[in-house]
Amino acid sequence: MKRKLILILLTLTISLQGIVAQKTISGVIEDEQDQPLIGATIMIKGTSEGTVTNTEGYYSISVADESAFLVVSFVGYLTEEIPVENRSEINIGLVPDITGMEEVVVIGYGTIKKRDLTAPVASVSAKELRDIPLTSTAQALTGRLAGVQITTSEGSPDAEVKIRVRGGGSITQDNDPLYIVDGFPVDGISDIAPNDIESIDVLKDASSTAIYGARGANGVVIITTKSGSEGKVKVNYNFYAGVRELPKKLDVLNPQEFTLYQYERAQSNFQDRNRFENMYGTWDQLDSLYSNATGTDWQEEVFGRKARTFSHNLSISGGDEKINYNLSYTNNDDQGIMIESGYKRNTLNLKLKIKATEKL
C-alpha cells in the first residue's frame, strides 16, 4: 500500500512538472508590406501540434520546450523556422517565394502559369512601381519591358505616348497594341493612375492573336488594377513633389557677334550686302549699334523655368466575403518646363466586386 502511494505521488509530480513547463507563445504573422496574413500555419517542429492565424494575423500556441522551433508557412511565401528560446511573443514577417517559372500571368480573361505559356511575356508588378514617382502609366512601362518601345510625340508633359511591341509592323495602318484593363478592351491607358496598377503584362508573340484575334497582332498590354480584400478598411495616401529644368542649354551669340556673323555671310554677293546694310546698318555702324545691345535668349524664355510637379493619391479599400472595393482618387499637377505646356489631371477609379449568390 505504501509503495503504491509513493508511485502515485511520483506520477503526479511528473505530471505537474510537465504542466508547469508548458509555455504560451503568441504574435502576429505579416507579409512584406506589413499586412497580416490570414490562415498562416504555425507548427512546432518535429510534432503534429500547430495552429493558424486569425483574421488579424494573430496566433497563440503552447510550447513545452524552450529549445523548440516554430515552423511558419503560407502559400506563396518562404517557410520560416524560428527558435522559441526564452521569448513569449514572436512576430514574424514572411518573404514572398519568387520563382519565375511559377508566376501567374493574366491572359485573355483568365490566368495561366508562366512556365505553361509559349508566348514571350514581359511583366511589371506593383512592387516595382511602388517607390518610383510616376505621373502616367506609360512612364511605368518605359525602360522596364524588353522589346517594348515607348516614345512621346513632343515634349509636353501630357503629350501622346506611342507604345510599340516588337517595332512597327505596318507603314500605313495602326501599330498600337491592344490594351486590356481588368478584362475590358480600351482605347488607351493615359487615364489610369500608376498608383492604381497591380500588374502590367505584355504579350509580345504573334500567338497572342489566338486569344484576342487580329486586334492582338501588334501585341497586347494587359493591366490589372488593385482590388479590395477581406478585412479591415485600409486607407493609403501617396504624395510626391519634384522640380524639373532643362539640364543643358546651347551656347548662343550675343547681338554684336550675331551681326558680325551675318556680315561675313553677306560678303558673297552685292545683293546680300545691300540686304545686310538695310537690315543691320553699315560696317562702321556695327560697334556703336550692337556692342552694348541686350539680346534675348529664347531658350531661356521658353525653357528656362523650373517646373514644379505634384502628385496626390488617396485610396480606400476593404470588403468581406460577399463584397470588396477599392476607391482611388489621383490628382496630378505638372507645370512643364516649356511655357504653357503644363496640365492638371484628376482621376477617380472605383473597382467593385459583389458576389450576390453562389451562382452570380
Side-chain angles (χ1 to χ4, degrees):
M1 182 68 181
K2 186 176 180 180
R3 181 178 298 176
K4 184 180 292 185
L5 180 60
I6 292 173
L7 289 174
I8 293 173
L9 289 175
L10 182 61
T11 304
L12 181 61
T13 302
I14 294 173
S15 300
L16 289 174
Q17 287 178 349
I19 294 172
V20 173
Q22 290 288 330
K23 182 177 182 180
T24 301
I25 307 296
S26 61
V28 177
I29 310 298
E30 297 178 330
D31 61 11
E32 76 281 6
Q33 297 180 354
D34 299 329
Q35 299 298 321
L37 290 175
I38 303 171
T41 303
I42 301 93
M43 300 289 295
I44 300 175
K45 187 176 181 180
T47 71
S48 58
E49 298 178 15
T51 184
V52 295
T53 56
N54 61 12
T55 56
E56 296 180 352
Y58 180 83
Y59 75 94
S60 178
I61 189 171
S62 296
V63 179
D65 188 0
E66 290 185 351
S67 62
F69 281 77
L70 296 183
V71 180
V72 184
S73 60
F74 190 75
V75 176
Y77 289 79
L78 296 174
T79 300
E80 298 283 350
E81 292 189 6
I82 310 296
V84 173
E85 300 176 344
N86 60 350
R87 294 177 290 179
S88 61
E89 182 179 354
I90 302 178
N91 298 320
I92 304 169
L94 296 183
V95 179
D97 185 7
I98 302 174
T99 307
M101 295 302 290
E102 293 294 333
E103 290 179 6
V104 174
V105 177
V106 180
I107 59 167
Y109 300 95
T111 60
I112 190 172
K113 286 186 177 180
K114 198 170 186 178
R115 68 178 181 184
D116 298 329
L117 191 62
T118 58
V121 176
S123 302
V124 177
S125 65
K127 185 178 180 181
E128 297 177 68
L129 306 177
R130 184 174 55 193
D131 300 325
I132 304 173
L134 300 169
T135 57
S136 69
T137 303
Q139 290 179 351
L141 299 175
T142 304
R144 293 178 177 86
L145 299 173
V148 180
Q149 300 173 342
I150 314 293
T151 57
T152 54
S153 56
E154 38 100 0
S156 176
D158 60 341
E160 181 185 358
V161 176
K162 295 186 179 297
I163 300 177
R164 296 290 180 266
V165 180
R166 297 178 291 107
S170 174
I171 298 175
T172 59
Q173 302 300 314
D174 185 19
N175 289 299
D176 288 338
L178 174 64
Y179 299 107
I180 304 293
V181 179
D182 291 332
F184 295 93
V186 297
D187 294 330
I189 56 176
S190 60
D191 57 345
I192 301 174
N195 290 309
D196 293 338
I197 296 175
E198 182 65 31
S199 65
I200 302 175
D201 298 307
V202 179
L203 305 184
K204 299 185 291 182
D205 194 85
S207 62
S208 59
T209 57
I211 306 170
Y212 295 98
R215 296 184 65 186
N218 294 320
V220 183
V221 178
I222 305 171
I223 296 178
T224 303
T225 59
K226 294 179 180 178
S227 303
S229 58
E230 293 185 24
K232 295 182 179 179
V233 177
K234 301 176 184 177
V235 179
N236 294 315
Y237 174 70
N238 292 295
F239 166 77
Y240 79 83
V243 178
R244 297 177 180 176
E245 62 179 334
L246 203 63
K248 185 178 181 181
K249 298 175 183 175
L250 299 175
D251 293 330
V252 295
L253 303 175
N254 60 38
Q256 186 178 22
E257 291 171 338
F258 179 77
T259 53
L260 289 176
Y261 170 70
Q262 296 297 331
Y263 175 79
E264 294 293 337
R265 293 184 66 239
Q267 300 310 304
S268 59
N269 58 69
F270 180 75
Q271 291 181 346
D272 289 341
R273 286 196 297 270
N274 285 339
R275 189 180 299 112
F276 173 83
E277 292 179 358
N278 292 332
M279 183 175 296
Y280 301 104
T282 60
W283 166 258
D284 55 352
Q285 296 174 324
L286 297 184
D287 286 340
S288 59
L289 291 174
Y290 301 105
S291 60
N292 297 320
T294 302
T296 301
D297 186 348
W298 291 107
Q299 291 179 111
E300 188 70 26
E301 295 295 324
V302 178
F303 302 106
R305 72 175 176 179
K306 293 184 177 180
R308 300 186 304 272
T309 177
F310 299 94
S311 177
H312 304 265
N313 176 261
L314 176 66
S315 64
I316 302 173
S317 62
D320 52 30
E321 295 180 355
K322 291 188 176 181
I323 181 172
N324 65 66
Y325 59 89
N326 183 76
L327 177 63
S328 173
Y329 168 71
T330 304
N331 170 261
N332 291 325
D333 186 354
D334 195 338
Q335 283 187 333
I337 60 174
M338 186 172 66
I339 303 299
E340 301 297 333
S341 67
Y343 78 100
K344 294 182 180 180
R345 181 173 61 200
N346 294 282
T347 305
L348 184 66
N349 178 54
L350 173 63
K351 189 172 184 180
L352 184 66
K353 290 185 179 179
I354 301 176
K355 186 177 180 181
T357 65
E358 291 296 328
K359 297 182 179 179
L360 179 62

